[in-house]
Amino acid sequence: MDKNRLEAFSDGVIAIIITIMVLELKVPHGSELADLRPLIPVFLSYVLSFVYVGIYWNNHHHLLHTISHVTGGTLWANLHLLFWLSLIPFATGWMGENHFSAVPLALYGFVLLMCAFAWWLLQSRMVAMQGRKSPLALAVGRDLKGKISPVLYLVGIVTAFFNGYFSEAAYVLAALMWLVPDRRFEKATQAR
């Protein structure tokens, strides 16, 4: 199967996810700068989630450029990833509206954890499809960032109930770790 439909569909879904997130930013009824103060948690949660969705979109783009075709298993693994990404707006809105309280903060981390698992599954399907000696398999390698991220999400989930700031820091740290596009995939694209 050609990969172009998968890429176009995924890009469309991710664009809708970002649109839904920005629509959660409600305009204040006042005209003073002080009227923006209650929106700060909502805005901060939006920025963090925008960065996460952007990271997934960027790395998804690079990942797809390492392959020439997709299989049915790849399509389902990609839908699984898109499902979890589509829950980010809900988790973001709930977290921001409740000023980063424990349960919404933990749910946000759970959604991030499931996105990471779905990414791993998609990447694994593509490696299996391409073969263990493929440029993609060599690019994935030990995938240190891919192993550290779920640990940070688990730390964030657990600490949400004890120290919200520590939980938020774990999520921000994971995002910062991925902010630079994964160069492994760029190199695999050049090798193809």
Side-chain angles (χ1 to χ4, degrees), residues 27-57:
V27 177
H29 293 288
S31 60
E32 302 296 322
L33 281 176
D35 296 323
L36 294 173
R37 181 168 285 131
L39 298 178
I40 291 173
V42 175
F43 180 72
L44 291 175
S45 64
Y46 167 76
V47 169
L48 181 61
S49 293
F50 185 90
V51 167
Y52 267 111
V53 172
I55 288 166
Y56 275 102
W57 174 76

Side-chain angles (χ1 to χ4, degrees), residues 7-73:
E7 187 171 19
F9 179 74
S10 300
D11 286 349
V13 170
I14 290 171
I16 291 168
I17 290 168
I18 289 174
T19 302
I20 291 169
M21 284 190 323
V22 78
L23 291 175
E24 287 296 315
L25 295 175
K26 305 296 182 207
V27 177
H29 293 288
S31 60
E32 302 296 322
L33 281 176
D35 296 323
L36 294 173
R37 181 168 285 131
L39 298 178
I40 291 173
V42 175
F43 180 72
L44 291 175
S45 64
Y46 167 76
V47 169
L48 181 61
S49 293
F50 185 90
V51 167
Y52 267 111
V53 172
I55 288 166
Y56 275 102
W57 174 76
N58 197 323
N59 285 320
H60 190 268
H61 169 77
H62 286 94
L63 180 66
L64 286 179
H65 282 268
T66 64
I67 62 171
S68 58
H69 66 283
V70 295
T71 63

Side-chain angles (χ1 to χ4, degrees), residues 112-133:
L112 293 177
L113 179 65
M114 294 310 295
C115 287
F117 172 72
W119 175 265
W120 171 82
L121 186 65
L122 175 62
Q123 184 176 267
S124 297
R125 291 293 318 144
M126 289 183 176
V127 166
M129 179 182 65
Q130 298 289 310
R132 295 280 170 210
K133 301 280 187 208

Side-chain angles (χ1 to χ4, degrees), residues 12 16 27 50-51 57 73 86 110-111 129 138 158 179 184 186:
I16 291 168
V27 177
F50 185 90
V51 167
W57 174 76
S86 73
F110 176 75
V111 170
M129 179 182 65
L138 297 175
V158 171
L179 202 53
R184 300 171 302 161
E186 288 178 11

Side-chain angles (χ1 to χ4, degrees), residues 67-140:
I67 62 171
S68 58
H69 66 283
V70 295
T71 63
T74 306
L75 292 175
W76 283 110
N78 192 69
L79 278 173
H80 182 240
L81 173 64
L82 293 176
F83 170 78
W84 288 106
L85 288 174
S86 73
L87 292 177
I88 288 178
F90 172 78
T92 301
W94 197 33
M95 181 176 67
E97 287 294 327
N98 291 289
H99 300 255
F100 300 92
S101 61
V103 174
L105 193 56
L107 176 73
Y108 185 78
F110 176 75
V111 170
L112 293 177
L113 179 65
M114 294 310 295
C115 287
F117 172 72
W119 175 265
W120 171 82
L121 186 65
L122 175 62
Q123 184 176 267
S124 297
R125 291 293 318 144
M126 289 183 176
V127 166
M129 179 182 65
Q130 298 289 310
R132 295 280 170 210
K133 301 280 187 208
S134 67
L136 173 59
L138 297 175
V140 168

Side-chain angles (χ1 to χ4, degrees), residues 100-107 154-168 171:
F100 300 92
S101 61
V103 174
L105 193 56
L107 176 73
L154 285 170
V155 166
I157 292 166
V158 171
T159 60
F161 298 101
F162 305 106
N163 184 336
Y165 294 117
F166 196 77
S167 178
E168 294 162 27
Y171 302 149

